[in-house]
Amino acid sequence: MSRSLVVLPDDSARPLIEAINRASKSLRIKMFVFSDPVLVQTVIAAHDRGVKVRIMLNPSRRNGEKENDTTHQILTDAGVAVLDSSPAFDVTHEKSMVIDDQFAFIQSLNWQTKNFTRTRDYAVITQHKHEVDEVVECFDADWTRQEFKPGDRSHLIWCTGNGRQKIAQFIDEARHTLWVQNERYQDPVIIERLVRASRRGVKVRVMMRPPHTLKKEKLVEGIGGVRILDDVGIKVHKLKGLKLHAKLLFADDARAIIGSINLAPGSFDSRRELAIEVRDDIIANRIHDVLHQDWENSKSIDLSDEGLLADLEEVDENVREDLALGDHAKKKN
């Protein structure tokens, strides 16, 4: 099987741990947040048995928060080669791993314990040589602080680079159904494409995180985007019981994009991101089942003035002014 799918939390961290334990020559890991203690020790064990391990960790979020310092120190103390990710990007949000130059993991998940136990996330494992080689090429370029430009020959979806164009084209090619799971919907080009898909008769279903989980400074564009989707009749839901962290598009029960890309301008224009488009039947069939299960286990988000006021007033005391909610809007009890 040249590609396979990992679904979290259903599959747990086991597929990643087993893959690292099978590594015999090399590991290249690029991660936004890496803190799960079991995976840290699994990587150190690979180093101890002679595997050449190189790891790039994002040094901080845009707000300055540093989440990888402890792991960076533990790995360094164990003799593992660790670098901060490339300074050419505001943030390196890519989550990838290449094993023995033969297997590439392209993921939406961070290597945090919660991503293996409490969040909806996905990873694609590919053995296609041209895809693996492309992840390796980017890793090595970022490691040596060189420019990486896959250009028209790219088999994958990169930001900065071809991300917005590839995802817009994917949406444009949807004919019957389109499912989207993403934390937030802020990019005007992608919102426009989703609206156009709905207008030409595609059944579009959107899942996102609840509005109150959006960062305060992102409320205006985040809420505005999904209200436009709601206005044209696209159903917008939130999961019950699971935190949504996935970055997934699934069209016509046949094609999927999975990776690290949030549907926001920053992801497309200033971050290092990676995603992959797959058309494998076995992957499509499983995604179909997971999405239907998630939709059944979800709830419509109330995007009316009253609904937003009820959801957001406790996290933004100026929400009425910030979102220009009507004076008639009253908080729901």
Side-chain angles (χ1 to χ4, degrees):
M1 202 184 317
S2 56
R3 293 194 194 94
S4 58
L5 180 72
V6 178
V7 179
L8 293 167
D10 307 45
D11 297 342
S12 77
R14 185 173 179 177
L16 283 82
I17 292 168
E18 290 180 346
I20 295 169
N21 285 338
R22 289 194 297 268
S24 61
K25 297 178 182 177
S26 64
L27 281 175
R28 290 175 175 86
I29 297 167
K30 197 186 298 182
M31 195 57 54
F32 179 59
V33 181
F34 184 5
S35 60
D36 181 76
V38 175
L39 277 170
V40 170
Q41 292 307 313
T42 302
V43 168
I44 291 173
H47 165 77
D48 289 345
R49 67 174 183 268
V51 176
K52 182 181 179 181
V53 180
R54 288 185 290 166
I55 299 176
M56 270 186 284
L57 299 176
N58 184 65
S60 65
R61 293 180 181 264
R62 284 183 297 178
N63 64 6
E65 182 181 2
K66 297 179 181 293
E67 297 172 279
N68 289 318
D69 283 1
T70 299
T71 298
H72 195 293
Q73 190 63 55
I74 292 170
L75 292 170
T76 300
D77 289 347
V80 177
V82 187
L83 281 183
D84 285 347
S85 52
S86 173
F89 304 96
D90 290 348
V91 163
T92 288
H93 196 239
E94 176 185 343
K95 306 106 170 11
S96 66
M97 173 171 64
V98 179
I99 299 177
D100 295 340
D101 291 344
Q102 295 181 337
F103 301 87
F105 285 65
I106 297 171
Q107 309 162 93
S108 67
L109 63 136
N110 293 304
W111 284 8
Q112 296 176 280
T113 304
K114 67 180 182 181
N115 289 99
F116 299 110
T117 58
R118 294 189 283 114
T119 71
R120 172 63 75 221
D121 266 306
Y122 304 94
V124 171
I125 309 169
T126 177
Q127 298 178 57
H128 282 262
K129 187 177 186 306
H130 54 277
E131 294 168 350
V132 176
D133 288 350
E134 201 169 311
V135 181
V136 167
E137 183 182 352
C138 180
F139 183 97
D140 290 349
D142 285 356
W143 184 269
T144 58
R145 307 320 198 208
Q146 302 297 311
E147 189 174 22
F148 168 71
K149 277 192 171 182
D152 293 339
R153 65 182 174 83
S154 176
H155 298 279
L156 300 174
I157 302 170
W158 294 99
C159 301
T160 58
N162 61 13
R164 184 183 281 112
Q165 180 181 0
K166 290 271 193 179
I167 290 177
Q169 181 180 349
F170 181 93
I171 295 170
D172 289 346
E173 291 174 354
R175 292 293 172 262
H176 306 291
T177 60
L178 180 64
W179 299 76
V180 192
Q181 286 186 325
N182 208 283
E183 292 180 80
R184 52 191 184 271
Y185 299 78
Q186 297 167 328
D187 188 75
V189 173
I190 301 304
I191 291 166
E192 174 196 28
R193 289 314 209 281
L194 292 172
V195 168
R196 289 184 176 188
S198 177
R199 292 253 170 125
R200 68 174 180 268
V202 177
K203 185 175 183 180
V204 181
R205 282 169 284 196
V206 161
M207 285 175 259
M208 65 173 286
R209 294 179 63 185
H212 68 263
T213 65
L214 296 174
K215 294 178 181 178
K216 185 177 178 180
E217 63 271 19
K218 297 297 183 181
L219 277 179
V220 172
E221 59 191 87
I223 297 303
V226 291
R227 289 187 99 181
I228 290 170
L229 300 181
D230 183 64
D231 284 345
V232 300
I234 294 173
K235 294 183 178 180
V236 182
H237 281 211
K238 59 183 178 181
L239 292 182
K240 294 186 291 185
L242 282 179
K243 179 180 177 181
L244 181 63
H245 186 257
K247 297 90 172 64
L248 166 78
L249 295 96
F250 185 55
D252 300 328
D253 290 338
R255 303 178 295 122
I257 287 178
I258 289 171
S260 67
I261 303 172
N262 287 313
L263 302 179
S267 290
F268 292 121
D269 299 328
S270 62
R271 294 185 172 200
R272 169 66 83 209
E273 306 270 14
L274 171 61
I276 185 171
E277 181 176 343
V278 294
R279 299 171 183 247
D280 309 63
D281 288 344
I282 192 167
I283 292 178
N285 290 340
R286 187 168 187 202
I287 291 173
H288 172 277
D289 292 344
V290 170
L291 287 174
H292 280 79
Q293 171 190 320
D294 283 354
W295 193 255
E296 290 177 8
N297 190 40
S298 69
K299 180 180 179 182
S300 177
I301 296 177
D302 186 351
L303 294 169
S304 68
D305 285 7
E306 294 82 2
L308 289 171
L309 185 63
D311 187 63
L312 293 169
E313 197 168 47
E314 291 184 5
V315 297
D316 180 7
E317 61 184 14
N318 298 315
V319 63
R320 191 186 296 272
E321 292 77 19
D322 292 343
L323 297 180
L325 300 179
D327 292 337
H328 64 278
K330 296 180 179 180
K331 184 175 179 180
K332 291 187 176 181
N333 295 323

